[in-house]
């Protein structure tokens, strides 16, 4: 990747805003924090603005960086002083979140997108998209290394390392590649605390998450001879377990671990007319295409879509479509 233009953008501007997508994950937060910190190490002003609040389980990455949610008061004042907005881990403007996107468009001179999702018309004036990158953090590591590697300190390296662990599912997902291992190795050489990061990601869950998991596993259903496995989370289940959707992060990966399951789907009842479907596949189903049929998108092995119908109707529609993507030997 040729980073010369981005180097020029960083060198010649003073105030930056960093944002990411709705439904923040480890790559979104890790990349935003790493970039924000790096810009500050370059002597620039930078703030992080996100549509949604940073999930509790990812707050360990934030490490004192200022973060604002888009609905916060006087945010327009802060962004007014911004030259460039960096949008990371997302290339579709409607996934940035409405308020965050409006603020960025209204107040920044340039909008630069850095992402690894497939997208025909990425947002912004400049888009750096590499669909082979396991996480956006890896692209940022490459940028920082090209710009000035000496500015990568332990907090920045830790945030970048988190993006790799979370987006590859600990080097388990099909997007894992030699470059991801290479960058992870180089980050480990910067004396980051690998076990503290792993503990913060994987051994830091709430009791409400396990109450919700217990409820959700009760809905596990097998379809198409066990090639599809799905689960659902209703508003009633959230109420019963005092949990939020934030607590269900990663649930969709669980049914995929069953032998012979090709597609795993998690349905979430946003309200009685809105259902979010999240997809995972194991070997061949391109779930981004499956999700695309419902106006969603994502990666070949991980994708999502929002349907404007009640959850039980969404289940029927989605399962029917999914069957068409299966191979029957
Ligand atoms: Mn990502």
């Amino acid at each position: 990747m040729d980073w010369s233009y981005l180097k020029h953008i960083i060198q010649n501007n003073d105030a930056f805003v960093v944002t990411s997508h709705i439904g923040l994950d480890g790559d979104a937060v890790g990349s935003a924090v790493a970039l924000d910190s790096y810009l500050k190490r370059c002597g620039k002003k930078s703030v992080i603005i996100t549509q949604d609040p940073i999930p509790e389980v990812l707050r360990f990455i934030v490490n004192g960086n200022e973060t604002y949610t888009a609905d916060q008061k006087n945010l327009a004042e802060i962004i007014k002083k911004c030259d460039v907005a960096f949008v990371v881990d997302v290339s579709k403007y409607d996934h940035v979140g409405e308020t965050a996107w409006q603020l960025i468009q209204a107040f920044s001179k340039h909008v630069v997108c850095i992402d690894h999702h497939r997208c025909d018309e990425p947002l912004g004036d400049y888009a750096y998209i590499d669909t082979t990158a396991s996480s956006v953090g890896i692209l940022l590591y490459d940028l920082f290394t090209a710009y000035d590697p000496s500015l990568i300190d332990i907090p920045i390296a830790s945030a970048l390392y988190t993006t790799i662990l979370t987006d590859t599912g600990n080097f388990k997902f099909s997007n894992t590649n030699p470059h991801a291992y290479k960058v992870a190795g180089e980050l480990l050489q910067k004396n980051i605390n690998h076990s503290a990061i792993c503990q913060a990601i994987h051994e830091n869950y709430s009791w409400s998450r396990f109450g919700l998991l217990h409820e959700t596993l009760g809905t596990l259903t097998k379809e198409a001879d066990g090639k599809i496995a799905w689960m659902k989370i209703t508003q009633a289940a959230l109420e019963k377990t005092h949990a939020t959707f934030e607590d269900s992060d990663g649930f969709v990966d669980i049914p995929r671990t069953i032998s012979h399951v090709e597609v795993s789907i998690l349905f979430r009842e946003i309200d009685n007319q809105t259902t979010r479907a999240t997809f995972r596949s194991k070997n061949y189903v391109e779930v981004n295409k499956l999700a695309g049929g419902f106006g969603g998108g994502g990666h070949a092995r991980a994708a999502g879509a929002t349907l404007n119908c009640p959850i039980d109707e969404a289940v029927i529609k989605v399962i029917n479509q999914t069957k068409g993507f299966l191979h029957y030997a």
Side-chain angles (χ1 to χ4, degrees), residues 9-18 36 39-40 43-47 77-86 107-110:
I9 284 271
I10 296 173
Q11 249 151 16
N12 293 290
N13 290 284
D14 289 316
F16 297 83
V17 161
V18 183
D36 177 67
L39 290 166
K40 284 172 179 150
K44 311 290 180 178
K45 287 187 210 80
S46 174
V47 288
E77 283 303 308
I78 295 167
I79 304 195
K80 201 178 281 177
K81 296 161 198 136
C82 151
D83 303 310
V84 180
F86 278 114
F107 296 112
S108 43
K109 282 185 252 165
H110 301 292

Side-chain angles (χ1 to χ4, degrees), residues 53-82:
I54 312 276
E56 207 45 53
V57 288
L58 296 174
R59 289 221 63 95
F60 77 95
I61 308 169
V62 175
N63 191 44
N65 294 46
E66 296 159 86
T67 62
Y68 301 91
T69 46
D71 54 7
Q72 223 157 303
K73 283 190 201 108
N74 68 29
L75 213 49
E77 283 303 308
I78 295 167
I79 304 195
K80 201 178 281 177
K81 296 161 198 136
C82 151

Side-chain angles (χ1 to χ4, degrees), residues 57 199-210 247 249-250:
V57 288
Q199 255 183 44
I201 299 172
H202 300 295
E203 297 175 353
N204 201 19
Y205 293 131
S206 64
W207 283 97
S208 56
R209 175 183 166 92
F210 275 81
D247 292 310
D249 190 49

